Amino acid sequence: AEARRRLLLLQEARESIEAARTYRGELLLRLGGLRQAREQIKESATLTRDVLEQHFSDLKGTLKKLLDERLLSLLQEVDVIEQESIKPLDECQKLIEHGVSTADDLLREGESAVDGDVGQENEKLCNFTKKALHIQLDSLPEVPSLVDVPCLSAQLDDCLLTILKNQIFSHGTVASRPPVQLEEFVEKPGGILVRWCKVDEDFSPQDYRLQLRKGMGSAFEDAYVGSDTEFLVLHLDPHVDYQFRVCARGDGRQEWSPWSVPQLGRTTLVPHEWTAGLEGYSLSSRRNIALRNDSQSCGVLYSKAPTYSCGQTLTFRQVPRGELIETVGQPDRRDSLGVCVEQQNGYDSLQRDKAVCISTNGAVFVNGKEMTNQLPAVTSGSTVTFDMEVVQLGPCSNEGGNVKLRVTISSNNREVVFDWVLDQCCGSLYFGCSFSYPGWKVLVF
C-alpha cells in the first residue's frame, strides 16, 4: 500500500512538473509576444517621429521656397511699374531741361542785342525777334500732376496667416493602429492568395493598396490597387519569404492610410506550368499561359508535371490575345480544359478515360462520357475552376485501390458536382487543354 501510494505521489509530481514545464513554456511564449509587441510600439513610434520630422522639414523648405518665389515676383512687379512710370517723366524732364537751356541762350542773345552797338542794333534785334518767334515761347510741355502718376503700395492680406494657421493646426494625424490589417495567406501554386479586412469601424474605404517585397532588403512594390479585399499574387518563388502590407484610401480622399503591420507569407507549392515544345501551342516566358497558334498540328497540351492535388483549386482563365482583340478562337466540340490521371499521347482531346474536362461549349465529360448537366460556354475572360476532395471507397496501397473524388467544376457563376471513381490512388494529377482552332489563350493558376 505504501509503495502504491508513493507511485501515485510520484505520478502526480511528474504530472505537476510537466504542467509547470508547459506553463513555463507558455509564459515564455507570452513574454516573447510581449517583447515583440513592445518592440513594435517603440519601432513604429520612432519611425513615426522620423516621418513627421521629415515631412514638416520638407514643408518648411517648400513653404520658404514658395514665399521667396512670391516675394521675388512682387518685387519684379514693383520694378516694372517703377520703370514704366518714370520713363515718360524722364523724357519730359529732358525736354524741359533742353527748353531751359534754349531759353538761357535766347536770353543772353536778347540782352546782347539790346545792349549792342547802335550800328548793329537793328539787325541783331531783328534776328533775335525772328529766333524768338521760331522757338514758340508760348508752348510749354505738360507736366502730370501727382494724382495722375503711379503711387506704389503693397496690399498684404493678413487672412493668409489665419488660413495657414488653421490648415497647419489640422494638418496630419497620428493613428494608434492602421484601419486595415492583413487577415489570411492561402498558399497557391506559385503564388499566395492574400486577404485583408477593415479593423476600424469608423473608416469607410474606397480603395485598397497591397504591396510586397522579396526578403527584407528590397523595396516594396505595388501588387494590387482596387476595391477587393483579396488578391492572388502570382509569379512567386516557392519556399521564399515575402513581406506584405496593405493600406486603404478613405471615401472621397486622395491620401492613403497608414500601412498595416507587415507580415511574412510564403508558398511551398511549385507553380503550374504547361509542357514546352508541343507543336500547335506557344507558351509565355513563365509557361503558365498557352496560346493555340496557327499550326495545323493538334493534340492535348499537358502540364509539365502532376502539380494539381486534391483540396486545391485549379483555375483556367481565358484571356484575350491582345489589348484590342476581345475574341477567342472558333469553338469545337473536341475542345477541352480539365485534369487527368496521366499523360496519354495520341489523343486530340481530354474527352477520354481517366480524365474529367469541360468543352468550350460548356459540356462536361467524365471518363469520355458527356454528362446531362451543362455549364455556360467558355468565352473571352471566362474563368473555369476545378475543386476536388477525396472520398475513399477501398483500401489504398501500392497495388492500387478504388478511390472516389468529388469534383466541382465552376464556370460563370454556375457549377456542377459529381463523383469521379478511379481504380488507383492519385496523390496529384495532370491538367491539360486541347483546342482545334487557333486564337485560344489560357492562363492556369
Side-chain angles (χ1 to χ4, degrees), residues 36-37 40-41 43-44 176-183 185 199 210-211 220 243-247 258-264:
Q36 290 180 349
Q40 177 175 301
I41 293 173
E43 289 177 359
S44 62
S176 60
R177 63 186 63 201
V180 291
Q181 291 285 8
L182 295 168
E183 184 179 28
F185 296 103
V199 295
L210 176 68
Q211 288 190 336
F220 278 99
Q243 195 173 42
F244 294 86
R245 66 181 184 180
V246 67
C247 66
W259 290 104
S260 66
V261 177
Q263 295 189 36
L264 293 178

Side-chain angles (χ1 to χ4, degrees), residues 189 269-273 303-309 312 314 428-431:
L269 306 176
V270 296
H272 292 319
E273 295 182 7
S303 58
K304 181 180 178 181
T307 53
Y308 174 64
S309 301
Q312 300 177 3
L314 178 69
S428 54
L429 299 168
Y430 290 88
F431 57 85

Side-chain angles (χ1 to χ4, degrees), residues 320-326:
R321 288 189 62 181
E323 294 181 358
L324 302 179
I325 303 176
E326 295 295 335

